[in-house]
Amino acid sequence: MNIDAFVLQFVQIFGEEQNNQALINASEDTRLFGEHLDSMGIVFLVTDLESQIFEEFGLDITLADERAMSQKTSPFRSVKTLASYVEILITESKAGK
């Protein structure tokens, strides 16, 4: 499974758990922070996604850190930006960076 599909599927399952219809029907373009999730929703999404990445890939990565907050475009803006950021972190983690 590629990272885009992994993150999209995760967001849809997270939407089911949160009873959030917009996330259940999410696509790559679905906006997350500020539209379908508030700050607490993002916190729950990020921590659950970090756990899922560990289970799926055996990688311990941190999504919400100073680097994420300093991005020109927030990685939590949409499913697509989140998937791109996750892919960067996974690639770096596998390379030992």
Side-chain angles (χ1 to χ4, degrees):
M1 176 181 296
N2 71 34
I3 301 302
D4 290 346
F6 169 77
V7 171
L8 177 59
Q9 182 179 31
F10 173 81
V11 168
Q12 292 168 337
I13 292 170
F14 182 81
E16 289 176 9
E17 293 171 357
Q18 300 297 315
N19 197 25
N20 183 322
Q21 196 63 43
L23 297 184
I24 293 170
N25 298 323
S27 69
E28 285 185 346
D29 297 324
T30 300
R31 300 193 90 164
L32 297 171
F33 183 64
E35 188 163 328
H36 298 298
L37 290 172
D38 60 13
S39 56
M40 285 306 296
I42 288 293
V43 169
F44 292 132
L45 177 94
V46 165
T47 54
D48 287 358
L49 182 54
E50 287 172 345
S51 295
Q52 191 64 38
I53 289 168
F54 184 77
E55 287 181 26
E56 187 76 20
F57 301 100
L59 300 171
D60 188 16
I61 64 171
T62 301
L63 293 171
D65 59 7
E66 188 173 309
R67 180 178 173 187
M69 300 309 148
S70 66
Q71 299 284 312
K72 184 175 180 181
T73 300
S74 170
F76 311 117
R77 181 177 179 186
S78 69
V79 173
K80 186 175 186 174
T81 58
L82 180 59
S84 294
Y85 192 61
V86 166
E87 187 165 5
I88 289 168
L89 295 180
I90 286 176
T91 300
E92 289 177 356
S93 182
K94 286 181 175 178
K97 293 183 180 179

